[in-house]
Amino acid sequence: MSDHDAVDPTDAELLQAHVDGDREAFGVLFARHRDRLWAVALRTMGNPEDAADGLQDGLIAAYRRAASFRGDAAVTTWLHRVVVNACLDRIRAAKVRRADPLPDDLEEYGDRGSLATGGSAGDDGDPAEAAVRGERQQRVLDALSGLPAEQRAALVLVDMEGYPVSEVALILNCAEGTVKSRCSRGRAKLAVTLGLLAPGRDPDHPDPGNPAASAPVRSARSPRGPPTPD
C-alpha cells in the first residue's frame, strides 16, 4: 500500500497503541480532540486558568487509566467523561467562584472547537453591534457560573457543544432523563438570571408564552489555547 493510500489510525487504535507502549499515540489522540475538550473545560470551569487545570487533571487521568477503557462507548465520549469529571471534581472541592474575566480575544478563535451564536465569523462590520454581541455572550458565561455544577455540565455539552442527549448521558454517567431535567432546570435558571422571565415567576416553571425561557442556551465561542500537558 502506498503512502497515499495509508489510513490514519482510529481513536481506539491510538488509545490501544498508548496502552501498548507507543509514546506518541496519546499525544496524537489529544491533538485530534484538543479544541472540543478545551471548549468544554473552559465553559465548565469559567476561566482559562481553572479550565487549564481541569483539562490537565482530566488528561493525566485519561493517560493513566487508558487500560481501563473497555470500548463500551466511543473514545471521544470516554475522554469527555474523564475531563468533565475532573472539572466537576475541582468545582466541588474548591467551590470555584468564577471571578476572573474571560480573555478579550474570544472572537479571534471563533471558528475552532464548538457551536456558538451571536454573529458569523465574518461579521466584523459595526463595532457597536460587536460590542453588544460580546456583552451578551459574557452575560451568558457569567450566568452559567451560578448554576449547580451538574446542570452547568449538561448545558455546556448539550446546548453549547451540540452533543446528543444520549451521548451526554454516557459522558455524565446518568440517565437520559436526568440530562434533560438538568438542562431544563438550568435553562430556566439562566432565563431568570438573564432577565428572560417576567418578575416573580417560579424559575422551575418558565413562562409558557416565552420560548426563550426553555430554549437551548448558546454562548460565546471558546479560545483554542489549552496548554499542552507536560
Side-chain angles (χ1 to χ4, degrees):
M1 181 181 294
S2 68
D3 292 340
H4 178 74
D5 295 326
V7 178
D8 289 336
T10 66
D11 290 345
E13 289 169 344
L14 284 171
L15 192 63
Q16 186 59 52
H18 163 65
V19 172
D20 293 340
D22 186 328
R23 295 185 178 182
E24 297 181 358
F26 192 84
V28 174
L29 180 64
F30 168 57
R32 186 176 287 180
H33 302 290
R34 179 176 185 258
D35 288 344
R36 293 202 79 176
L37 292 171
W38 171 247
V40 168
L42 177 62
R43 284 169 165 166
T44 302
M45 299 301 294
N47 63 74
E49 291 78 14
D50 291 327
D53 290 339
L55 178 60
Q56 181 152 307
D57 286 353
L59 291 176
I60 290 172
Y63 186 94
R64 293 175 175 172
R65 300 175 192 167
S68 68
F69 177 71
R70 300 300 181 213
D72 56 339
V75 172
T76 52
T77 299
W78 178 75
L79 284 173
H80 277 76
R81 179 189 300 166
V82 175
V83 169
V84 168
N85 283 339
C87 290
L88 294 181
D89 285 345
R90 277 189 168 265
I91 291 171
R92 296 186 188 108
K95 297 181 179 177
V96 174
R97 298 189 64 85
R98 305 193 292 189
D100 296 336
L102 288 169
D104 294 331
D105 57 354
L106 282 177
E107 291 298 321
E108 177 184 348
Y109 305 105
D111 294 332
R112 300 294 295 273
S114 61
L115 300 176
T117 59
S120 63
D123 183 11
D124 56 358
D126 188 342
E129 289 182 5
V132 171
R133 184 171 63 250
E135 181 180 355
R136 184 184 304 116
Q137 292 167 345
Q138 185 64 60
R139 286 181 63 203
V140 173
L141 289 169
D142 289 344
L144 275 171
S145 69
L147 295 180
E150 290 79 7
Q151 291 178 10
R152 187 187 319 172
L155 282 176
V156 165
L157 291 166
V158 174
D159 285 355
M160 298 181 182
E161 292 305 311
Y163 285 103
V165 169
S166 58
E167 188 167 356
V168 174
L170 291 174
I171 292 172
L172 299 181
N173 195 27
C174 63
E176 291 183 25
T178 301
V179 174
K180 293 177 182 178
S181 176
R182 290 175 181 176
C183 286
S184 177
R185 288 180 175 274
R187 290 170 191 147
K189 291 175 182 177
L190 284 184
V192 173
T193 304
L194 297 172
L196 299 178
L197 293 180
R201 276 201 173 272
D202 183 345
D204 288 331
H205 298 84
D207 185 349
N210 185 355
S214 58
V217 177
R218 298 288 185 258
S219 182
R221 299 177 174 97
S222 299
R224 65 181 176 186
T228 302
D230 296 332

